Amino acid sequence: MVKLIHTLADHGDDVNCCAFSFSLLATCSLDKTIRLYSLRDFTELPHSPLKFHTYAVHCCCFSPSGLILASCSTDGTTVLWNTENGQMLAVMEQPSGSPVRVCQFSPDSTCLASGAADGTVVLWNAQSYKLHRCGSVKDGSLAACAFSPNGSFFVTGSSCGDLTVWDDKMRCLHNEKAHDLGITCCDFSSQPVSDGEQGLQFFRLASCGQDCQVKIWIVSSTHILGFELKYKSTLSGHCAPVLACAFSHDGQMLVSGSVDKSVIVYDTNTENILHTLTQHTRYVTTCAFAPNTLLLATGSMDKTVNIWQFDLETLHQARSTEHQLKQFTEDWSEEDVSTWLCAQDLKDLVGIFKMNNIDGKELLNLTKESLADDLKIDGYSYEKEAMENWISKKKRTSPMTNLVLPSAVLTPNRTLKMAINRWLETHQK
């Protein structure tokens, strides 16, 4: 269950953004102010509200330590604040003077990214407060920004619907049309999807937009294949533009807020809806999970911020999903495994798996070594034509090991093919 435990109603205009540190909640508004609250009892701090901006404050975010708060505004500035006393540390002006729509700290606190209405994105040195690097998207204004959990790259989203991936040198790694009518927000899960191969990292990215959709992407980065962004799925539930999305700190839940005035909480493993919250009376513009407690904040054009608390049952439900899926696979019979192989377009391996009595439990324990040694699957890569010629001469042994092959099935090495194609694309330009 999730329950509303507090409502903050101190802003005099639309709430544009809210953000948590380990001990504080920050909110910002069209009323030009930023407010700070203690998580102990949600009382406003003595040095709040923070005032400097001359126009609407669009975004605010804490440094990972929580000691610094960044805010950005239509006035073209990004301001750094000391959260302990409310003193202003720096005012960083966007080079173009364009309204700044979004700001985000890197995971190691060394950089701060700011994105503006004219499409420019700036990386600031968060220690010296100096401009480090600058770039821009081809079209549209910037509305979203998120750093990867390892800090090696960051993603921006534009009003034209493009997701653009940048490295720390402001080189564009990837650009993709993600939402037809414009992107409003994006966020990375802090937890990797899979450890993968050595040097390979998978991350889950969520994006949302004016097309009423929340999309999930899988992002991978490897020394061999480079960077890759793959569409995974679209989450249903909203019937109007989605303005905000955010992952929980453990990556088990995803929340979204919409023009339809609702907040939806999803289980990220099953992508099922856990909760739909409908207390706001106008558009939901922002949502954020706390990093260390079971709290969710949602802000709205109704000038309020609602604080929600999840019970342990909901958290356990989300966290146990992956374990349940594993248990489900463990219960597979040999026939279930055969059906799964056929669904994966690997029906030629059914005979080998049946011969070795591979059920669900055995399937989960298979490794590259066991495939090669126990199942006698060769595991080496050859030119298809050469291997077909080898087999056509009635040779039933491995060209590499000279061991007898129990099957003449050739399995495509898709990973190697992708690496070759990427190399060709790079060197033929």
Side-chain angles (χ1 to χ4, degrees), residues 41-316:
D41 53 8
F42 303 108
T43 56
E44 191 165 5
L45 300 190
H47 50 271
S48 176
L50 307 179
K51 295 181 179 180
F52 169 81
H53 293 293
T54 55
Y55 289 96
V57 186
H58 292 289
C59 182
C60 60
C61 63
F62 286 98
S63 65
S65 68
L67 298 178
I68 300 175
L69 178 73
S71 62
C72 60
S73 166
T74 300
D75 62 18
T77 67
T78 301
V79 177
L80 298 184
W81 308 84
N82 183 322
T83 59
E84 294 182 324
N85 55 27
Q87 291 185 354
M88 202 161 46
L89 300 174
V91 178
M92 300 176 294
E93 297 183 0
Q94 202 76 3
S96 61
S98 179
V100 186
R101 302 295 189 191
V102 63
C103 57
Q104 192 69 237
F105 278 99
S106 63
D108 61 2
S109 295
T110 59
C111 292
L112 175 74
S114 64
D118 64 354
T120 58
V121 55
V122 175
L123 275 184
W124 303 92
N125 184 310
Q127 278 73 50
S128 67
Y129 314 138
K130 302 294 185 183
L131 188 150
H132 178 54
R133 296 186 186 277
C134 186
S136 64
V137 296
K138 294 179 180 179
D139 298 297
S141 61
L142 288 182
C145 179
F147 276 89
S148 65
N150 63 3
S152 62
F153 56 88
F154 67 99
V155 175
T156 57
S158 78
S159 60
C160 287
D162 291 340
L163 281 175
T164 305
V165 186
W166 312 83
D167 66 9
D168 57 2
K169 294 180 176 59
M170 289 301 295
R171 293 177 298 197
C172 179
L173 302 177
H174 186 86
N175 183 265
E176 179 149 343
K177 190 76 169 180
H179 295 267
D180 288 339
L181 303 176
I183 293 172
T184 53
C185 189
C186 63
D187 190 39
F188 274 101
S189 169
S190 62
Q191 303 301 316
V193 177
S194 170
D195 290 332
E197 302 283 341
Q198 185 177 4
L200 184 63
Q201 293 179 307
F202 292 97
F203 297 110
R204 187 183 277 118
L205 173 71
S207 65
C208 57
Q210 299 286 349
D211 56 5
C212 313
Q213 296 181 339
V214 179
K215 292 186 178 181
I216 304 298
W217 310 81
I218 300 300
V219 183
S220 62
S221 180
T222 171
H223 298 302
I224 298 175
L225 299 179
F227 179 89
E228 191 167 28
L229 177 71
K230 284 186 177 180
Y231 166 78
K232 180 180 180 290
S233 57
T234 298
L235 305 185
S236 60
H238 289 295
C239 59
V242 185
L243 303 181
C245 62
F247 283 100
S248 60
H249 185 64
D250 62 2
Q252 299 300 316
M253 292 184 285
L254 175 69
V255 64
S256 59
S258 169
V259 169
D260 64 16
K261 308 174 188 176
S262 73
V263 175
I264 297 180
V265 182
Y266 301 90
D267 181 321
T268 55
N269 293 301
T270 64
E271 300 185 353
N272 292 330
I273 294 176
L274 296 175
H275 303 284
T276 300
L277 313 174
T278 57
Q279 273 70 15
H280 284 295
T281 58
R282 294 194 66 195
Y283 301 173
V284 180
T285 55
T286 179
C287 48
F289 279 103
N292 57 340
T293 57
L294 303 178
L295 295 179
L296 167 69
T298 59
S300 167
M301 290 176 65
D302 62 15
K303 308 178 187 179
T304 69
V305 176
N306 284 335
I307 313 297
W308 308 85
Q309 185 170 47
F310 293 86
D311 59 19
L312 290 174
E313 182 181 351
T314 296
L315 188 66
H316 175 74

Side-chain angles (χ1 to χ4, degrees), residues 378 380 382 390 395-405:
D378 181 74
Y380 291 95
Y382 308 94
W390 175 273
K395 293 182 179 180
R396 289 295 184 268
T397 57
S398 166
M400 291 293 293
T401 66
N402 208 34
L403 296 174
V404 176
L405 296 172

